[in-house]
Amino acid sequence: QVHLVQSGAEVKRPGASVKVSCKASGYTFTSYSVAWVRQAPGQGLEWMGWISPYNGNTNYPQKFQGRVSVTADTSRTTAFMELRTLRSDDTALYFCARRTWIGEISYFDFWGQGTLVTVSS
Amino acid sequence: DIQMTQSPSSLSASVGDRVTITCRASQNISNYLNWYQQKPGKAPKLLIYGASNLQSGVPSRFSGGGSGTDFTLTSSSLQPDDFATYYCQQSYRYPRTFGRGTKVDI
C-alpha cells in the first residue's frame, strides 16, 4: 500500500530556512509527481509546487518562486521541500501528496501526515 | 489565477440528511475539479476526481456533479464519519487552487 511519511515538526526563526522530507513507499517513485500543499492555522489549502522524480522537472506557483525548492532523491524514494527566508506567516502544516492523473485529469490521491513548521522569534 | 468559491462556508446537519455543497470556478474549467475531505489535524482525503468520479474506497453515498464553472458534492445520507471540512480544487490551470472549504458539523 502507498505511504508517504514526513519528517517531524520544526521551529525556526524568521529569516531562516526549513527543509521537510517525504519518504514514499508502496509504489514506483519515479512514476508519479510529488506535490507540496500547506495549511496555515485555521485556513485553507495552498499548493506550493511539485516535482517529477522521473526527470526532476518542477513547477511552482509565482507566489513561491525563488523562495521554495522541491527536490527528489530517487535512491531513497524521498522528496524534499525547502522554504527559505521564513516569515511568521509561513507558520503552517505542510503536506506532501502524490499526484496521479488519468488522461488530462490530475489529483492528489495519497497524502503524508503533515509537518508542522512554526516560525517564531 | 482561477478563484474557487465554495458555498456555504459552513452548515449544520444531522445524521441521515442529504447534504449538497457547491463550488464555483471563476472561469470555465471543464471537468477538472476534485473534492477532498479533511478532519482536524489530519491530511485531506480524496473523494471525487474529474468532477464526478468516485475515488476507490470512498462510500457510494458521495457523488459529484457539474462541469464548466459550477460543481456540486453531495452526501445522500450523512453519516457520523462525514462531519468534516470539504475542499474543491481545480486542476485545469496553474497554479492549482483550492476553495476555502465548507465545514459540515452537527
Side-chain angles (χ1 to χ4, degrees):
Chain A
Q1 59 277 41
V2 175
H3 286 297
L4 298 173
V5 178
Q6 299 182 223
S7 49
E10 303 261 14
V11 179
K12 296 292 183 180
R13 300 291 192 196
S17 298
V18 68
K19 192 170 186 177
V20 180
S21 67
C22 173
K23 166 73 174 175
S25 62
Y27 70 97
T28 302
F29 184 60
T30 51
S31 295
Y32 298 83
S33 296
V34 175
W36 290 86
V37 175
R38 76 177 184 179
Q39 186 171 40
Q43 303 301 309
L45 301 166
E46 182 174 36
W47 174 64
M48 299 181 67
W50 60 44
I51 185 167
S52 166
Y54 173 74
N55 56 18
N57 286 349
T58 55
N59 193 310
Y60 306 114
Q62 189 166 5
K63 172 178 180 177
F64 292 105
Q65 282 188 4
R67 208 161 69 92
V68 70
S69 295
V70 177
T71 56
D73 182 336
T74 56
S75 66
R76 291 193 281 164
T77 66
T78 300
F80 302 90
M81 186 282 300
E82 182 179 31
L83 186 60
R84 299 178 289 275
T85 319
L86 290 168
R87 308 183 291 254
S88 58
D89 62 358
D90 291 319
T91 294
L93 192 56
Y94 289 76
F95 296 100
C96 62
R98 189 181 81 164
R99 176 184 174 228
T100 295
W101 57 93
I102 294 179
E104 294 183 344
I105 304 288
S106 73
Y107 47 90
F108 307 128
D109 59 349
F110 290 94
W111 294 67
Q113 82 277 19
T115 296
L116 180 63
V117 175
T118 303
V119 183
S120 174
S121 55
Chain B
D1 297 2
I2 297 176
Q3 307 302 316
M4 307 301 293
T5 303
Q6 288 184 234
S7 60
S9 57
S10 65
L11 67 90
S12 295
S14 300
V15 173
D17 284 353
R18 180 183 180 86
V19 170
T20 296
I21 296 166
T22 298
C23 177
R24 174 165 289 174
S26 60
Q27 65 181 79
N28 187 336
I29 60 169
S30 184
N31 65 334
Y32 292 71
L33 191 284
N34 308 314
W35 288 98
Y36 301 87
Q37 176 194 69
Q38 187 183 33
K39 297 182 180 179
K42 301 295 186 182
K45 172 187 174 183
L46 177 70
L47 299 178
I48 301 283
Y49 63 91
S52 61
N53 299 286
L54 194 67
Q55 171 68 351
S56 175
V58 173
S60 59
R61 62 180 179 272
F62 288 101
S63 62
S67 67
T69 60
D70 294 315
F71 302 87
T72 59
L73 173 70
T74 297
S75 172
S76 60
S77 177
L78 208 62
Q79 297 302 301
D81 192 49
D82 300 344
F83 292 94
T85 300
Y86 294 83
Y87 294 93
C88 60
Q89 176 245 328
Q90 62 84 16
S91 61
Y92 182 75
R93 188 155 286 167
Y94 294 106
R96 300 304 196 235
T97 48
F98 293 83
R100 296 172 70 95
T102 295
K103 184 177 182 180
V104 177
D105 58 22
I106 299 174

CSV table of all heavy atoms in Angstrom, one decimal, chain A residues 37 39 43-47 50 59 61 93 95 99 102 104-113, chain B residues 31-32 34 36 38 41-46 49-50 55 87 89 91 94-100:
chain,number,residue,atom,x,y,z
A,37,VAL,N,1.7,20.9,-0.3
A,37,VAL,CA,0.5,21.8,0.0
A,37,VAL,C,0.6,22.2,1.4
A,37,VAL,O,0.9,21.4,2.3
A,37,VAL,CB,-0.8,21.0,-0.3
A,37,VAL,CG1,-2.0,21.8,0.2
A,37,VAL,CG2,-0.9,20.5,-1.7
A,39,GLN,N,-1.1,24.5,4.9
A,39,GLN,CA,-2.3,24.9,5.5
A,39,GLN,C,-2.0,25.7,6.8
A,39,GLN,O,-1.5,25.2,7.8
A,39,GLN,CB,-3.2,23.7,5.9
A,39,GLN,CG,-4.6,24.1,6.4
A,39,GLN,CD,-5.5,22.9,6.5
A,39,GLN,OE1,-5.0,21.8,6.9
A,39,GLN,NE2,-6.7,23.1,6.1
A,43,GLN,N,-6.9,27.9,8.3
A,43,GLN,CA,-7.0,28.4,7.0
A,43,GLN,C,-7.2,27.2,6.0
A,43,GLN,O,-7.2,26.1,6.4
A,43,GLN,CB,-5.8,29.2,6.5
A,43,GLN,CG,-5.6,30.4,7.4
A,43,GLN,CD,-6.8,31.4,7.5
A,43,GLN,OE1,-7.3,31.8,6.4
A,43,GLN,NE2,-7.2,31.7,8.7
A,44,GLY,N,-7.3,27.5,4.7
A,44,GLY,CA,-7.5,26.5,3.7
A,44,GLY,C,-6.2,26.0,3.2
A,44,GLY,O,-5.1,26.2,3.8
A,45,LEU,N,-6.3,25.3,2.0
A,45,LEU,CA,-5.1,24.6,1.5
A,45,LEU,C,-4.5,25.4,0.3
A,45,LEU,O,-5.2,26.1,-0.4
A,45,LEU,CB,-5.6,23.3,0.9
A,45,LEU,CG,-6.2,22.3,1.9
A,45,LEU,CD1,-7.0,21.2,1.2
A,45,LEU,CD2,-5.2,21.8,2.9
A,46,GLU,N,-3.2,25.4,0.3
A,46,GLU,CA,-2.4,26.2,-0.7
A,46,GLU,C,-1.3,25.3,-1.4
A,46,GLU,O,-0.4,24.8,-0.7
A,46,GLU,CB,-1.8,27.4,0.0
A,46,GLU,CG,-1.0,28.3,-0.9
A,46,GLU,CD,-0.6,29.6,-0.2
A,46,GLU,OE1,-0.2,29.5,1.0
A,46,GLU,OE2,-0.5,30.7,-0.8
A,47,TRP,N,-1.4,25.2,-2.7
A,47,TRP,CA,-0.4,24.4,-3.4
A,47,TRP,C,0.9,25.2,-3.6
A,47,TRP,O,0.9,26.4,-3.9
A,47,TRP,CB,-1.0,24.1,-4.8
A,47,TRP,CG,0.0,23.4,-5.7
A,47,TRP,CD1,0.5,22.2,-5.6
A,47,TRP,CD2,0.5,24.0,-6.9
A,47,TRP,NE1,1.4,21.9,-6.6
A,47,TRP,CE2,1.4,23.0,-7.5
A,47,TRP,CE3,0.4,25.2,-7.6
A,47,TRP,CZ2,2.1,23.1,-8.7
A,47,TRP,CZ3,1.1,25.3,-8.8
A,47,TRP,CH2,1.9,24.3,-9.3
A,50,TRP,N,5.4,21.2,-7.3
A,50,TRP,CA,5.7,19.7,-7.3
A,50,TRP,C,6.9,19.4,-8.1
A,50,TRP,O,7.4,20.2,-8.8
A,50,TRP,CB,4.5,18.9,-7.8
A,50,TRP,CG,4.0,19.3,-9.2
A,50,TRP,CD1,4.7,19.5,-10.3
A,50,TRP,CD2,2.6,19.4,-9.5
A,50,TRP,NE1,3.8,19.7,-11.4
A,50,TRP,CE2,2.6,19.7,-10.9
A,50,TRP,CE3,1.4,19.3,-8.8
A,50,TRP,CZ2,1.4,19.9,-11.6
A,50,TRP,CZ3,0.2,19.6,-9.5
A,50,TRP,CH2,0.2,19.8,-10.9
A,59,ASN,N,7.5,22.5,-10.9
A,59,ASN,CA,6.5,23.6,-11.2
A,59,ASN,C,6.1,24.2,-9.9
A,59,ASN,O,5.7,23.6,-9.0
A,59,ASN,CB,5.3,23.0,-11.9
A,59,ASN,CG,4.4,24.1,-12.6
A,59,ASN,OD1,4.1,25.0,-11.9
A,59,ASN,ND2,4.1,23.9,-13.8
A,61,PRO,N,4.1,27.8,-8.1
A,61,PRO,CA,3.3,29.0,-8.3
A,61,PRO,C,4.1,30.2,-8.2
A,61,PRO,O,5.2,30.2,-7.5
A,61,PRO,CB,2.2,28.9,-7.2
A,61,PRO,CG,2.8,28.0,-6.2
A,61,PRO,CD,3.7,27.1,-6.9
A,93,LEU,N,0.9,23.9,8.6
A,93,LEU,CA,1.1,22.4,8.5
A,93,LEU,C,1.4,22.2,7.0
A,93,LEU,O,0.6,22.6,6.1
A,93,LEU,CB,-0.2,21.7,8.9
A,93,LEU,CG,-0.2,20.2,9.1
A,93,LEU,CD1,0.9,19.8,10.1
A,93,LEU,CD2,-1.6,19.8,9.6
A,95,PHE,N,2.1,19.6,3.9
A,95,PHE,CA,1.8,18.2,3.4
A,95,PHE,C,2.5,17.9,2.1
A,95,PHE,O,2.6,18.8,1.3
A,95,PHE,CB,0.3,18.0,3.2
A,95,PHE,CG,-0.6,18.2,4.4
A,95,PHE,CD1,-1.3,19.3,4.6
A,95,PHE,CD2,-0.8,17.1,5.3
A,95,PHE,CE1,-2.2,19.5,5.7
A,95,PHE,CE2,-1.6,17.2,6.3
A,95,PHE,CZ,-2.3,18.4,6.6
A,99,ARG,N,0.8,13.0,-6.8
A,99,ARG,CA,0.0,13.5,-7.9
A,99,ARG,C,-0.3,12.3,-8.9
A,99,ARG,O,0.7,11.8,-9.4
A,99,ARG,CB,0.6,14.6,-8.6
A,99,ARG,CG,-0.2,15.2,-9.8
A,99,ARG,CD,0.6,16.3,-10.4
A,99,ARG,NE,0.0,16.8,-11.6
A,99,ARG,CZ,0.6,16.9,-12.8
A,99,ARG,NH1,1.9,16.7,-12.9
A,99,ARG,NH2,0.0,17.4,-13.9
A,102,ILE,N,-5.3,10.7,-14.7
A,102,ILE,CA,-6.0,9.8,-15.7
A,102,ILE,C,-6.4,10.7,-16.9
A,102,ILE,O,-7.1,11.6,-16.7
A,102,ILE,CB,-7.2,9.1,-15.1
A,102,ILE,CG1,-6.8,8.2,-14.0
A,102,ILE,CG2,-8.0,8.4,-16.2
A,102,ILE,CD1,-8.0,7.5,-13.3
A,104,GLU,N,-6.1,13.7,-18.9
A,104,GLU,CA,-5.6,15.0,-18.5
A,104,GLU,C,-6.1,15.5,-17.1
A,104,GLU,O,-5.7,16.5,-16.7
A,104,GLU,CB,-6.1,16.0,-19.6
A,104,GLU,CG,-5.5,15.8,-20.9
A,104,GLU,CD,-6.0,16.8,-21.9
A,104,GLU,OE1,-6.9,17.6,-21.6
A,104,GLU,OE2,-5.4,16.9,-23.0
A,105,ILE,N,-6.8,14.6,-16.4
A,105,ILE,CA,-7.3,14.9,-15.1
A,105,ILE,C,-6.2,14.5,-14.1
A,105,ILE,O,-5.8,13.4,-14.1
A,105,ILE,CB,-8.6,14.2,-14.8
A,105,ILE,CG1,-9.7,14.4,-15.8
A,105,ILE,CG2,-9.0,14.5,-13.4
A,105,ILE,CD1,-10.3,15.8,-15.8
A,106,SER,N,-5.8,15.5,-13.3
A,106,SER,CA,-4.8,15.1,-12.2
A,106,SER,C,-5.4,15.4,-10.9
A,106,SER,O,-6.2,16.3,-10.7
A,106,SER,CB,-3.5,15.9,-12.4
A,106,SER,OG,-3.6,17.2,-12.1
A,107,TYR,N,-4.9,14.7,-9.9
A,107,TYR,CA,-5.4,14.9,-8.5
A,107,TYR,C,-4.4,14.4,-7.5
A,107,TYR,O,-3.5,13.7,-7.9
A,107,TYR,CB,-6.8,14.2,-8.3
A,107,TYR,CG,-6.8,12.8,-8.9
A,107,TYR,CD1,-6.5,11.7,-8.1
A,107,TYR,CD2,-7.2,12.6,-10.2
A,107,TYR,CE1,-6.5,10.4,-8.6
A,107,TYR,CE2,-7.2,11.3,-10.8
A,107,TYR,CZ,-6.9,10.2,-10.0
A,107,TYR,OH,-6.9,8.9,-10.5
A,108,PHE,N,-4.6,14.7,-6.2
A,108,PHE,CA,-3.7,14.2,-5.2
A,108,PHE,C,-4.4,13.1,-4.4
A,108,PHE,O,-5.3,13.3,-3.7
A,108,PHE,CB,-3.4,15.4,-4.2
A,108,PHE,CG,-2.9,16.6,-4.9
A,108,PHE,CD1,-3.5,17.8,-4.7
A,108,PHE,CD2,-1.9,16.6,-5.8
A,108,PHE,CE1,-3.0,19.0,-5.3
A,108,PHE,CE2,-1.4,17.7,-6.5
A,108,PHE,CZ,-2.0,18.9,-6.2
A,109,ASP,N,-3.9,11.8,-4.7
A,109,ASP,CA,-4.6,10.7,-4.1
A,109,ASP,C,-4.1,10.1,-2.8
A,109,ASP,O,-4.8,9.4,-2.1
A,109,ASP,CB,-4.7,9.6,-5.2
A,109,ASP,CG,-3.4,9.1,-5.7
A,109,ASP,OD1,-2.4,9.7,-5.4
A,109,ASP,OD2,-3.4,8.0,-6.4
A,110,PHE,N,-2.8,10.3,-2.5
A,110,PHE,CA,-2.3,9.9,-1.2
A,110,PHE,C,-1.5,11.1,-0.6
A,110,PHE,O,-0.8,11.8,-1.4
A,110,PHE,CB,-1.4,8.7,-1.4
A,110,PHE,CG,-2.1,7.4,-1.8
A,110,PHE,CD1,-2.3,7.1,-3.1
A,110,PHE,CD2,-2.7,6.7,-0.7
A,110,PHE,CE1,-3.0,5.9,-3.4
A,110,PHE,CE2,-3.4,5.5,-1.1
A,110,PHE,CZ,-3.6,5.2,-2.4
A,111,TRP,N,-1.6,11.2,0.7
A,111,TRP,CA,-1.0,12.3,1.4
A,111,TRP,C,-0.1,11.9,2.5
A,111,TRP,O,-0.4,10.8,3.2
A,111,TRP,CB,-2.1,13.2,1.9
A,111,TRP,CG,-3.0,13.9,0.9
A,111,TRP,CD1,-3.9,13.3,0.0
A,111,TRP,CD2,-3.1,15.3,0.7
A,111,TRP,NE1,-4.5,14.2,-0.7
A,111,TRP,CE2,-4.0,15.5,-0.4
A,111,TRP,CE3,-2.4,16.4,1.2
A,111,TRP,CZ2,-4.3,16.7,-0.9
A,111,TRP,CZ3,-2.8,17.7,0.7
A,111,TRP,CH2,-3.7,17.8,-0.3
A,112,GLY,N,0.9,12.7,2.8
A,112,GLY,CA,1.6,12.5,4.0
A,112,GLY,C,0.8,13.0,5.2
A,112,GLY,O,-0.2,13.5,5.1
A,113,GLN,N,1.4,12.7,6.4
A,113,GLN,CA,0.7,13.0,7.7
A,113,GLN,C,0.8,14.5,8.0
A,113,GLN,O,0.1,15.0,8.9
A,113,GLN,CB,1.2,12.2,8.8
A,113,GLN,CG,2.5,12.7,9.5
A,113,GLN,CD,3.7,12.3,8.8
A,113,GLN,OE1,3.7,11.9,7.6
A,113,GLN,NE2,4.8,12.3,9.5
B,31,ASN,N,-14.2,19.7,-16.6
B,31,ASN,CA,-14.5,18.8,-15.5
B,31,ASN,C,-13.2,18.6,-14.7
B,31,ASN,O,-13.1,17.5,-14.0
B,31,ASN,CB,-15.0,17.4,-16.0
B,31,ASN,CG,-14.0,16.7,-16.8
B,31,ASN,OD1,-13.1,17.3,-17.5
B,31,ASN,ND2,-14.1,15.4,-16.9
B,32,TYR,N,-12.3,19.5,-14.7
B,32,TYR,CA,-11.0,19.4,-14.0
B,32,TYR,C,-11.2,19.9,-12.5
B,32,TYR,O,-10.6,20.8,-12.1
B,32,TYR,CB,-9.9,20.2,-14.7
B,32,TYR,CG,-9.5,19.7,-16.0
B,32,TYR,CD1,-10.4,19.8,-17.1
B,32,TYR,CD2,-8.3,19.1,-16.2
B,32,TYR,CE1,-10.0,19.4,-18.4
B,32,TYR,CE2,-7.9,18.7,-17.5
B,32,TYR,CZ,-8.8,18.8,-18.5
B,32,TYR,OH,-8.4,18.3,-19.8
B,34,ASN,N,-11.7,18.5,-8.4
B,34,ASN,CA,-11.5,17.4,-7.4
B,34,ASN,C,-12.1,17.9,-6.1
B,34,ASN,O,-12.1,19.1,-5.8
B,34,ASN,CB,-10.1,17.0,-7.2
B,34,ASN,CG,-9.4,16.7,-8.6
B,34,ASN,OD1,-9.9,16.0,-9.4
B,34,ASN,ND2,-8.2,17.3,-8.8
B,36,TYR,N,-12.0,17.0,-1.8
B,36,TYR,CA,-11.3,16.4,-0.7
B,36,TYR,C,-12.1,16.6,0.6
B,36,TYR,O,-12.8,17.6,0.8
B,36,TYR,CB,-9.9,17.0,-0.5
B,36,TYR,CG,-9.1,16.9,-1.7
B,36,TYR,CD1,-9.1,17.9,-2.8
B,36,TYR,CD2,-8.2,15.8,-1.9
B,36,TYR,CE1,-8.3,17.7,-3.9
B,36,TYR,CE2,-7.4,15.7,-3.0
B,36,TYR,CZ,-7.5,16.7,-4.0
B,36,TYR,OH,-6.7,16.6,-5.2
B,38,GLN,N,-11.4,16.7,4.8
B,38,GLN,CA,-10.4,16.9,5.8
B,38,GLN,C,-10.9,17.0,7.2
B,38,GLN,O,-11.9,17.7,7.5
B,38,GLN,CB,-9.5,18.1,5.5
B,38,GLN,CG,-8.3,18.2,6.5
B,38,GLN,CD,-7.4,19.4,6.2
B,38,GLN,OE1,-8.0,20.5,5.9
B,38,GLN,NE2,-6.1,19.3,6.4
B,41,GLY,N,-6.5,18.4,12.0
B,41,GLY,CA,-5.2,17.9,12.2
B,41,GLY,C,-4.8,16.8,11.4
B,41,GLY,O,-3.7,16.2,11.5
B,42,LYS,N,-5.6,16.4,10.4
B,42,LYS,CA,-5.3,15.3,9.5
B,42,LYS,C,-5.1,15.8,8.1
B,42,LYS,O,-5.5,16.9,7.7
B,42,LYS,CB,-6.5,14.3,9.5
B,42,LYS,CG,-6.8,13.7,10.9
B,42,LYS,CD,-5.6,12.9,11.4
B,42,LYS,CE,-5.9,12.2,12.7
B,42,LYS,NZ,-4.8,11.4,13.3
B,43,ALA,N,-4.5,14.9,7.3
B,43,ALA,CA,-4.4,15.2,5.9
B,43,ALA,C,-5.7,15.1,5.1
B,43,ALA,O,-6.6,14.3,5.5
B,43,ALA,CB,-3.4,14.2,5.2
B,44,PRO,N,-5.8,15.9,4.1
B,44,PRO,CA,-7.0,15.7,3.2
B,44,PRO,C,-7.1,14.3,2.6
B,44,PRO,O,-6.1,13.6,2.5
B,44,PRO,CB,-6.8,16.8,2.1
B,44,PRO,CG,-5.9,17.8,2.7
B,44,PRO,CD,-5.0,17.0,3.6
B,45,LYS,N,-8.3,13.9,2.3
B,45,LYS,CA,-8.6,12.6,1.7
B,45,LYS,C,-9.3,12.9,0.4
B,45,LYS,O,-10.4,13.6,0.4
B,45,LYS,CB,-9.4,11.8,2.6
B,45,LYS,CG,-9.9,10.5,2.0
B,45,LYS,CD,-10.9,9.8,3.0
B,45,LYS,CE,-11.5,8.5,2.3
B,45,LYS,NZ,-12.5,7.9,3.2
B,46,LEU,N,-8.9,12.3,-0.7
B,46,LEU,CA,-9.5,12.5,-2.0
B,46,LEU,C,-10.9,11.7,-2.0
B,46,LEU,O,-10.9,10.5,-1.7
B,46,LEU,CB,-8.6,11.9,-3.1
B,46,LEU,CG,-9.2,12.0,-4.5
B,46,LEU,CD1,-9.4,13.4,-5.0
B,46,LEU,CD2,-8.4,11.1,-5.5
B,49,TYR,N,-12.7,12.8,-8.2
B,49,TYR,CA,-11.8,13.4,-9.1
B,49,TYR,C,-12.5,13.6,-10.5
B,49,TYR,O,-13.5,12.8,-10.8
B,49,TYR,CB,-10.5,12.6,-9.3
B,49,TYR,CG,-10.7,11.2,-9.8
B,49,TYR,CD1,-10.6,11.0,-11.2
B,49,TYR,CD2,-10.9,10.2,-9.0
B,49,TYR,CE1,-10.8,9.7,-11.7
B,49,TYR,CE2,-11.1,8.9,-9.4
B,49,TYR,CZ,-11.0,8.7,-10.8
B,49,TYR,OH,-11.2,7.4,-11.3
B,50,GLY,N,-12.1,14.5,-11.3
B,50,GLY,CA,-12.7,14.7,-12.6
B,50,GLY,C,-14.2,15.0,-12.4
B,50,GLY,O,-15.0,14.6,-13.3
B,55,GLN,N,-13.5,8.2,-6.0
B,55,GLN,CA,-12.2,7.5,-5.7
B,55,GLN,C,-12.4,6.2,-5.1
B,55,GLN,O,-13.4,6.0,-4.3
B,55,GLN,CB,-11.4,8.4,-4.8
B,55,GLN,CG,-10.1,7.8,-4.2
B,55,GLN,CD,-9.0,7.5,-5.3
B,55,GLN,OE1,-9.2,7.7,-6.5
B,55,GLN,NE2,-7.8,7.2,-4.8
B,87,TYR,N,-13.1,20.5,0.6
B,87,TYR,CA,-12.5,21.4,-0.3
B,87,TYR,C,-12.6,21.0,-1.7
B,87,TYR,O,-12.4,19.8,-2.0
B,87,TYR,CB,-11.0,21.5,0.1
B,87,TYR,CG,-10.7,22.1,1.4
B,87,TYR,CD1,-10.5,21.3,2.5
B,87,TYR,CD2,-10.5,23.5,1.6
B,87,TYR,CE1,-10.2,21.8,3.8
B,87,TYR,CE2,-10.2,24.0,2.8
B,87,TYR,CZ,-10.0,23.2,3.9
B,87,TYR,OH,-9.7,23.7,5.1
B,89,GLN,N,-10.9,21.7,-5.6
B,89,GLN,CA,-9.6,22.0,-6.2
B,89,GLN,C,-9.7,21.9,-7.7
B,89,GLN,O,-10.2,20.9,-8.2
B,89,GLN,CB,-8.6,21.1,-5.6
B,89,GLN,CG,-7.2,21.3,-6.2
B,89,GLN,CD,-6.6,20.2,-6.9
B,89,GLN,OE1,-6.9,19.0,-6.6
B,89,GLN,NE2,-5.8,20.4,-8.0
B,91,SER,N,-7.8,21.5,-11.3
B,91,SER,CA,-6.6,21.0,-11.9
B,91,SER,C,-6.5,21.4,-13.4
B,91,SER,O,-5.9,20.7,-14.2
B,91,SER,CB,-6.4,19.5,-11.8
B,91,SER,OG,-7.5,18.8,-12.4
B,94,TYR,N,-2.5,26.2,-14.1
B,94,TYR,CA,-1.6,26.6,-13.0
B,94,TYR,C,-1.8,28.1,-12.6
B,94,TYR,O,-2.1,28.9,-13.5
B,94,TYR,CB,-0.1,26.4,-13.4
B,94,TYR,CG,0.3,25.0,-13.7
B,94,TYR,CD1,0.5,24.5,-14.9
B,94,TYR,CD2,0.5,24.1,-12.6
B,94,TYR,CE1,0.8,23.2,-15.2
B,94,TYR,CE2,0.8,22.8,-12.8
B,94,TYR,CZ,1.0,22.4,-14.1
B,94,TYR,OH,1.4,21.1,-14.3
B,95,PRO,N,-1.7,28.4,-11.3
B,95,PRO,CA,-1.4,27.5,-10.2
B,95,PRO,C,-2.6,26.7,-9.8
B,95,PRO,O,-3.8,27.2,-9.9
B,95,PRO,CB,-1.0,28.4,-9.1
B,95,PRO,CG,-1.7,29.7,-9.3
B,95,PRO,CD,-1.8,29.8,-10.8
B,96,ARG,N,-2.4,25.5,-9.3
B,96,ARG,CA,-3.6,24.8,-8.8
B,96,ARG,C,-4.1,25.5,-7.6
B,96,ARG,O,-3.4,26.0,-6.7
B,96,ARG,CB,-3.1,23.4,-8.3
B,96,ARG,CG,-2.5,22.5,-9.4
B,96,ARG,CD,-3.4,22.4,-10.6
B,96,ARG,NE,-3.0,21.3,-11.4
B,96,ARG,CZ,-2.8,21.4,-12.7
B,96,ARG,NH1,-2.9,22.6,-13.3
B,96,ARG,NH2,-2.4,20.3,-13.4
B,97,THR,N,-5.4,25.6,-7.5
B,97,THR,CA,-6.1,26.4,-6.4
B,97,THR,C,-7.2,25.6,-5.8
B,97,THR,O,-7.9,24.8,-6.5
B,97,THR,CB,-6.6,27.8,-7.0
B,97,THR,OG1,-7.4,27.5,-8.2
B,97,THR,CG2,-5.5,28.7,-7.2
B,98,PHE,N,-7.4,25.9,-4.5
B,98,PHE,CA,-8.5,25.2,-3.7
B,98,PHE,C,-9.5,26.3,-3.3
B,98,PHE,O,-9.2,27.5,-3.2
B,98,PHE,CB,-7.9,24.7,-2.4
B,98,PHE,CG,-6.9,23.5,-2.6
B,98,PHE,CD1,-5.6,23.8,-2.9
B,98,PHE,CD2,-7.3,22.2,-2.4
B,98,PHE,CE1,-4.7,22.7,-3.0
B,98,PHE,CE2,-6.5,21.2,-2.6
B,98,PHE,CZ,-5.1,21.4,-2.9
B,99,GLY,N,-10.7,25.8,-3.1
B,99,GLY,CA,-11.7,26.6,-2.4
B,99,GLY,C,-11.4,26.8,-1.0
B,99,GLY,O,-10.4,26.1,-0.4
B,100,ARG,N,-12.1,27.7,-0.3
B,100,ARG,CA,-11.8,28.0,1.1
B,100,ARG,C,-12.4,27.0,2.1
B,100,ARG,O,-12.1,27.1,3.3
B,100,ARG,CB,-12.2,29.4,1.4
B,100,ARG,CG,-11.5,30.5,0.7
B,100,ARG,CD,-12.1,31.8,0.9
B,100,ARG,NE,-11.9,32.3,2.2
B,100,ARG,CZ,-10.8,33.1,2.6
B,100,ARG,NH1,-10.0,33.5,1.6
B,100,ARG,NH2,-10.7,33.5,3.8
